[in-house]
Amino acid sequence: MTAVPLKKRIPQLLIHLVFVLFSLACIVPLISVLSVSFSNEVDILKNGYSLWPRQFDLNAYTYVLYRPLQLLGAFKVSIIVSVVGTVCAVLFMAGIAYALSRHDYKFKNSLSFYVFFTMLFNGGLVPTYILISNYLHLKNTIWVLILPYLAVPWFILLLRSFMQKIPYHIIESCMIDGASEFRIFFQIVLPLAKPGLATVALFTMLQYWNDWWLSLLYIEEEHLVPLQYMLYRMMNNISFLTSSTNMMPASMKNVVLPSESARMAMAILAAGPMLAVFPFFQKYFVRGLTVGAVKG
Amino acid sequence: MFKLPFLSPSRHFKKNLQLTLLALPAMLIILVFSYVPMGGIFIAFKNINYTDGIVHSPWVGFDNIKFFFTSNDAWLVIRNTLLYNIVFIGVGTFMSVVFAILLNEVLSRKWLKAYQTIFFFPYFFSWIIVAYMAYSFIGPYGVISTWLSKLGYESFDFYSETWIWPILLTLINIWKGLGYVSIIFYAGILGISQEYFEAAEIDGASKLQVIRNITVPLIMPLITIMTLLSIGKIFYSDFGLFFFVPREVGQLFPVTQVIDTYVYRMLKVSGDIGMSSAVGLFQSVMGFIVVLISNYVVRKIDDDNKLF
């Protein structure tokens, strides 16, 4: 790298300058939220937020975690929905994607139209809402947070292009050996499509973990509120978390209610788990996008 | 052409049956959550009341739609939706292509990896988290207010100034999607055969000439597909961006209300089922028409780039 000629070095520097600036733009907002969550409430009210805590303070976390039942409940809902949803969604979508990837499947064309058409036209919010709440009676159940995302057309098409890359003669020879389609699917195709499955699993998990839409529409009962929806409800009103000062830890009785910083602490707690899994999946993520981008 | 000669007709039947069974769970989900609601679009032509129920409420024809278009809201939400999307598509695509080209010029693998990782960060945050982040900058105690007061300026209340929001929302939207989309284009550039670049180098072409005459034309199909997909959704908006980031401040509605938030508020806040379903239907139909038209246009210009 040291052998870069001078003529190339200046453009290189300019490119790095642009990218470093944008990288900062990506990281700084997180730092600022983090900083506020560790700041002293009185200091915030007096001097405003800063990108580095002027007075390091854990009151926000003490406050948020003091009576953690509600918070733990929200975590529980989010985790159940993300895990159950991702496992089922990947299985369901892999099944239909496998059928679509088979050139010798009789209904290949009609089935891909069936999937693709829903990307072009939909019934709209109101019919869906009425169907789910009045006819399926899924309102205020955990199912409503899981079922609607079990078959996302875009992910199905992505998985299909992954599976089309599996050499057909492998499947063919299995068929000659008399293996059933189920066996080929579970024992041959799924293991071979692992990178694709990992990509879609990450996309799906991200979708479930970050979802506020379904809970915004269909959840009213406290014990079914997932993290993101809880964050939304706290946006204007921190008291949702602990309704009265009686709930504050004794050591904090004389302290200002850390509403500004506690809110940011909640945001950190909600974003944390996804940031933790991000590095493990990142390489799949980029690869998945690359495959999806190639028309197939 | 893929008929397997060694399979008997009964094996073929069995194979198709088993493949259908594998596809069945996803088919059912799509049936229930996508196709059945399509059957409910008749709600838009009814005056729904709770005593008669959905099925027996009286028909009102196009009254709901008419009522929407005679209200002041119609022009406002349609204008906002379309203008924002046009700006997002234009600026977003341009920036993403520029970033992709620049990523391709980065010589150090280590930096390249670091940039790719960091640019993906915003994609991982939900809109609610983004709203919190924005608030930490532009809220009443936000970093920007702090700086302004330090510099001796008067405080600026972002949440009551309408003029700044088109800029803010555009910036935030680009910020969130740039890493994602630019990597798609970057992958497209990586797919270009190296021979083109080598030939250009032998001919002594400058970097800019290479970009203009080789890179951009060769990723044009990809740019077209991505743009077409976005244009197909031009009547839809990112609900989270317009709903959470402006913190539902009513004063900002003139510049933050889009069709999606309008339909949601009509349904959940006002409880006006007829109107919200009429607007939703308008959105679906317009979206469908736009996709068909843009695909038709692309087909005319260049058949290879069409979507279907």
Side-chain angles (χ1 to χ4, degrees):
Chain A
M1 283 307 121
T2 44
V4 181
L6 184 68
K7 211 183 107 195
K8 276 190 179 170
R9 220 179 281 168
I10 293 168
Q12 280 292 307
L13 271 179
L14 282 174
I15 292 173
H16 283 295
L17 185 71
V18 172
F19 282 169
V20 167
L21 281 178
F22 187 67
S23 300
L24 282 178
C26 294
I27 296 169
V28 167
L30 186 65
I31 294 179
S32 111
V33 171
L34 205 60
S35 154
V36 177
S37 75
F38 284 114
S39 290
N40 178 287
E41 186 73 16
V42 181
D43 181 62
I44 291 174
L45 296 179
K46 211 163 71 194
N47 300 318
Y49 295 168
S50 62
L51 286 181
W52 199 254
R54 278 177 294 253
Q55 266 178 284
F56 192 81
D57 191 329
L58 284 173
N59 268 349
Y61 289 92
T62 320
Y63 174 66
V64 168
L65 298 172
Y66 176 61
R67 287 276 164 89
L69 276 186
Q70 228 167 351
L71 181 66
L72 287 180
F75 258 104
K76 201 177 89 189
V77 172
S78 282
I79 290 170
I80 291 175
V81 167
S82 302
V83 171
V84 176
T86 307
V87 170
C88 294
V90 168
L91 261 184
F92 283 20
M93 294 197 287
I96 196 168
Y98 173 57
L100 286 171
S101 77
R102 284 283 294 267
H103 300 286
D104 56 329
Y105 175 48
K106 196 178 166 196
F107 309 109
K108 182 183 173 254
N109 288 334
S110 34
L111 188 61
S112 39
F113 178 79
Y114 178 80
V115 175
F116 189 56
F117 185 71
T118 59
M119 289 170 85
L120 303 176
F121 187 75
N122 65 70
L125 170 64
V126 182
T128 315
Y129 180 81
I130 290 175
L131 173 76
I132 288 179
S133 42
N134 291 11
Y135 290 90
L136 301 177
H137 302 290
L138 288 174
K139 217 171 167 180
N140 285 319
T141 63
I142 193 112
W143 299 108
V144 79
L145 299 175
I146 296 176
L147 293 175
Y149 295 156
L150 284 182
V152 179
W154 180 248
F155 297 161
I156 293 174
L157 296 181
L158 215 149
L159 269 180
R160 187 201 59 180
S161 14
F162 266 106
M163 290 181 176
Q164 277 170 342
K165 294 205 167 59
I166 296 173
Y168 185 68
H169 65 82
I170 296 181
I171 294 164
E172 204 174 24
S173 56
C174 292
M175 284 163 72
I176 295 169
D177 291 345
S180 73
E181 288 303 330
F182 302 120
R183 210 167 149 190
I184 299 177
F185 176 68
F186 283 107
Q187 295 194 339
I188 308 291
V189 174
L190 284 190
L192 283 175
K194 238 184 225 158
L197 295 176
T199 310
V200 172
L202 175 68
F203 273 123
T204 311
M205 200 191 285
L206 189 67
Q207 180 170 20
Y208 276 117
W209 185 266
N210 276 349
D211 186 65
W212 32 261
W213 175 242
L214 295 172
S215 38
L216 189 64
L217 283 170
Y218 305 112
I219 297 297
E220 279 151 10
E221 280 174 28
E222 295 301 331
H223 71 280
L224 286 170
V225 169
L227 264 183
Q228 304 289 338
Y229 186 44
M230 190 176 185
L231 267 184
Y232 160 65
R233 301 217 302 201
M234 282 174 36
M235 204 130 106
N236 293 312
N237 191 6
I238 183 79
S239 62
F240 165 69
L241 191 64
T242 38
S243 40
S244 70
T245 43
N246 298 335
M247 300 272 282
M248 278 173 66
S251 62
M252 286 173 69
K253 273 278 154 56
N254 303 319
V255 185
V256 180
L257 186 77
S259 62
E260 295 286 329
S261 49
R263 231 178 278 173
M264 296 301 175
M266 279 295 302
I268 291 295
L269 291 176
M274 262 298 142
L275 286 175
V277 301
F278 175 73
F280 298 104
F281 279 101
Q282 203 247 350
K283 65 171 186 212
Y284 289 125
F285 204 54
V286 172
R287 205 191 303 168
L289 279 174
T290 323
V291 173
V294 177
K295 199 178 166 190
Chain B
M1 71 185 188
F2 282 100
K3 279 273 177 322
L4 294 169
F6 53 85
L7 286 190
S8 63
S10 75
R11 279 281 320 260
H12 266 300
F13 176 77
K14 221 170 140 190
K15 176 197 74 186
N16 285 326
L17 180 74
Q18 289 175 341
L19 285 173
T20 309
L21 281 176
L22 279 174
L24 197 63
M27 279 164 73
L28 285 177
I29 293 286
I30 294 175
L31 177 74
V32 172
F33 292 102
S34 297
Y35 283 98
V36 175
M38 281 182 208
I41 51 181
F42 70 85
I43 295 169
F45 306 104
K46 283 195 161 202
N47 183 11
I48 302 291
N49 60 65
Y50 284 101
T51 41
D52 292 333
I54 309 288
V55 182
H56 300 291
S57 287
W59 292 95
V60 292
F62 285 90
D63 278 6
N64 286 325
I65 304 241
K66 256 189 241 158
F67 189 67
F68 170 60
F69 277 103
T70 48
S71 73
N72 295 327
D73 303 328
W75 157 243
L76 183 88
V77 297
I78 294 171
R79 180 203 68 180
N80 283 348
T81 309
L82 292 183
L83 274 185
Y84 274 117
N85 274 325
I86 289 167
V87 174
F88 291 172
I89 293 170
V91 182
T93 310
F94 177 77
M95 290 286 290
S96 307
V97 172
V98 169
F99 263 50
I101 291 170
L102 290 183
L103 274 174
N104 192 42
E105 296 297 327
V106 172
L107 293 171
S108 150
R109 306 281 312 156
K110 218 172 60 197
W111 280 100
L112 187 65
K113 266 232 150 95
Y115 291 143
Q116 283 184 340
T117 309
I118 295 168
F119 291 178
F120 251 113
F121 252 68
Y123 188 78
F124 263 68
F125 301 124
S126 73
W127 279 117
I128 296 173
I129 305 272
V130 173
Y132 275 88
M133 289 174 167
Y135 181 76
S136 80
F137 276 89
I138 61 176
Y141 302 108
V143 174
I144 293 181
S145 309
T146 313
W147 286 346
L148 281 178
S149 69
K150 253 187 211 154
L151 293 170
Y153 290 102
E154 251 176 79
S155 66
F156 183 84
D157 185 6
F158 283 86
Y159 291 97
S160 64
E161 298 284 341
T162 48
W163 65 269
I164 193 119
W165 280 90
I167 303 167
L168 276 179
L169 291 174
T170 306
L171 282 178
I172 293 171
N173 186 62
I174 304 277
W175 170 81
K176 198 169 192 293
L178 190 53
Y180 177 94
V181 186
S182 64
I183 282 174
I184 292 179
F185 288 134
Y186 174 63
I189 295 177
L190 287 184
I192 298 173
S193 167
Q194 214 51 41
E195 286 166 28
Y196 290 103
F197 296 112
E198 281 160 14
E201 203 172 329
I202 292 167
D203 290 345
S206 72
K207 265 269 158 324
L208 282 179
Q209 279 175 318
V210 172
I211 289 168
R212 204 174 53 222
N213 298 318
I214 296 177
T215 316
V216 173
L218 283 176
I219 57 165
M220 214 46 186
L222 192 55
I223 299 177
T224 318
I225 292 172
M226 296 298 289
T227 313
L228 257 181
L229 287 172
S230 320
I231 290 177
K233 289 190 221 119
I234 203 158
F235 278 90
Y236 295 87
S237 315
D238 220 322
F239 183 89
L241 172 67
F242 294 96
F243 191 75
F244 298 124
V245 179
R247 299 171 69 88
E248 297 183 75
V249 175
Q251 209 176 337
L252 298 175
F253 281 178
V255 289
T256 60
Q257 185 86 290
V258 287
I259 299 178
D260 289 272
T261 55
Y262 183 74
V263 172
Y264 172 82
R265 286 182 177 127
M266 267 288 156
L267 177 70
K268 287 290 268 190
V269 183
S270 324
D272 192 335
I273 294 177
M275 178 93 139
S276 54
S277 59
V279 182
L281 179 62
F282 165 75
Q283 187 185 32
S284 296
V285 171
M286 290 309 287
F288 190 51
I289 292 172
V290 170
V291 178
L292 292 185
I293 291 175
S294 51
N295 190 57
Y296 176 78
V297 171
V298 172
R299 222 184 206 160
K300 282 266 143 175
I301 303 167
D302 183 0
D303 198 54
D304 291 338
N305 293 349
K306 68 173 190 275
L307 207 56
F308 47 90

